[in-house]
Amino acid sequence: MTELNTVVAELPAFDRQFWDGTFHFTRIGTGVLGGKASGLAFAKDLLEREIDASAFPGIDINVPTMAVIATDCFDEFIERNHLGELPVDELPDDRIGLAFEQADLPVELLGDLRALITQVKTPLAIRSSSLLEDALNRPFAGVYATKMIPNNQLDSDSRFRLLVEAIKFVYASTYFREARDYIKTTGRDPREEKMAIIIQEVVGLRHGDRFYPNVSGVARSYNFYPTGPARPEEGVASLALGLGKTIVDGGVSWTFSPAYPKNPPPFGSVQELLRGTQTEFWAVNMGKPPAYDPVSETEYLVTAGLKEAEADDVLRHLASTFDPERDRVIPGVGASGARILNFAPLLVLEQFPVNHLIQALLKAAENALGANVEIEFAVTIQDTRGQTPRARMGFLQVRPMVVSEDVVEVAAADLCDPRAVLASDMVMGNGIADDIQDIVFVRPENFSPMQTPLIAQYLEAINRQLSDQHRPFLLIGFGRWGSSHPSLGIPVVWSQISGARAIVEATLPEMNVELSQGSHFFHNLSSFRTCYFMVRHDGPFAIDWDWLNRQPITQETELVRHVHPAGMLTVRADGRSRRGVVLAAEATHTTKKKP
């Protein structure tokens, strides 16, 4: 298995020409680049060595232009402003963020930043690249901040101010609670962390007051939840209109196997398809400046709907149309009717070979790293009338995945064991845990999607108590864990449930969503080898709620209950068969469960 840092050539120093200079990939400072920047340098090298551009007609593929501020600048910033002395354990994130915004960047850095911003007038993404982020076996995906700025102000002073504020915000995210808690779960000291910064062009096109790509995507070379004929090793991809925030935050996206791009997800009807596909997207706000909020990651982002996307003329290569008279879905937007973001013009009609390029990138990265990988990308499509349409794919990230190879056997008969608290044939992870005696579950009788933010708060308090006592627990909830959209699940971040050794994603008739494979939350969960169960309310296996409700209650609210059974639980997850079971110390029931 190859470490990313061992394949990264030394980057040339920033030449104060940036976009117009000789190099489109430069560094400021003399310190370390961090995990994400190293991954991008690896991606750039991979494209040059392994990808034959002529095999993908109509698509230009590259790593977007970027400059990296190395970690020595972070060290100077922290030391000169005495920010290491902040009582961060006693401060909320917004207070930490404000303290960083009031500090001064090193004067040695300001000259290069001023030169950069004087030349560049297109949107920029200010991205984290920490020492620990994206390290092999402990990828910190989504833990630190990324801030996008429009960078379209007429005067360079205003653009410079926004750039400086964004850099300070990303620096501050190193000390935010989620990052500190996450680092602790790795066994590392948060004080060991250092932050590099990536300043990178945003892949996209301007449409009035919005700037966004036609497509953002995340793809993995290993699929934990294959359906139909797909096999785990054939991978999985998720596509969304607009910025990739939709996917990485666990929002609604289009998920498919790159080996079978024309196979639709398992929707039962066109009505389910209409309800279950993307209707909103994220974009950079290029219009009226928002309310001043430098410690908000979404300060310069806006959301819009499919009506706005169609007015921007970006759906022709992405959407299909529902024809109610024939009760069928037609690729493209040539007819009138409801639009469905199923990316059929790309995946079914193959107007551009995007899926073939995704497969090639996954294969090349997997071979080079000797591990399963996850990649991120964004696609723009220039469709000027009278000219041949052309696409660009920006390769935004590559990181290794963790897929356990331990041998754990869970037979079909084990799923009906009389000691089973729950069982599933849709399990992610591989291993055995026999040191769990606490169960925290969302109460199904009182569950409401409107209450999911409050549920997240209750879970955070219980997680902190159990983590402080070094008591791992089983966590059961409804919808997508880690979704930023409350109607899709419980909007927790990793630090709010970091003590869970096994996590269950269950469904209810009123919370019946697809799985959460695209999110950064999900990637981090797999990297910690936490067993992850999917139990559908209409599936073949049920959660034994009667047994759970008979257990001694440690604490509870109207929405969440924490119980402590008399004996230890045993969690078994078989990554090869995707079967898993949670067993109590004694039989939980006398009647046979659903077969």
Side-chain angles (χ1 to χ4, degrees), residues 90-165:
E90 303 170 13
L91 296 176
D93 288 349
D94 58 346
R95 291 282 302 280
I96 296 172
L98 288 173
F100 272 66
E101 292 294 342
Q102 292 167 0
D104 296 319
L105 290 179
V107 294
E108 301 90 334
L109 175 60
L110 297 180
D112 284 338
L113 295 180
R114 173 68 74 171
L116 186 157
I117 212 67
T118 299
Q119 302 170 58
V120 183
K121 299 179 182 179
T122 58
L124 294 174
I126 316 305
R127 307 174 67 188
S128 63
S129 182
S130 79
L131 285 183
L132 301 180
E133 192 171 27
D134 293 345
L136 201 60
N137 298 323
R138 282 294 180 266
F140 280 43
V143 172
Y144 300 117
T146 290
K147 188 153 187 174
M148 295 188 179
I149 56 177
N151 197 39
N152 65 334
Q153 291 77 13
L154 294 178
D155 62 297
S156 59
D157 287 344
S158 295
R159 300 200 306 276
F160 179 72
R161 176 179 58 82
L162 296 189
L163 175 61
V164 168
E165 288 175 352

Side-chain angles (χ1 to χ4, degrees), residues 286-334:
M286 306 294 286
K288 181 180 178 181
Y292 181 67
D293 190 2
V295 295
S296 169
E297 190 171 28
T298 59
E299 182 181 11
Y300 298 106
L301 301 185
V302 294
T303 57
L306 295 188
K307 181 178 179 181
E308 288 78 12
E310 183 147 23
D312 293 340
D313 197 25
V314 300
L315 294 186
R316 68 171 66 186
H317 298 290
L318 313 181
S320 294
T321 303
F322 173 51
D323 182 348
E325 293 185 0
R326 291 184 288 175
D327 192 30
R328 59 178 295 190
V329 176
I330 305 170
V333 293

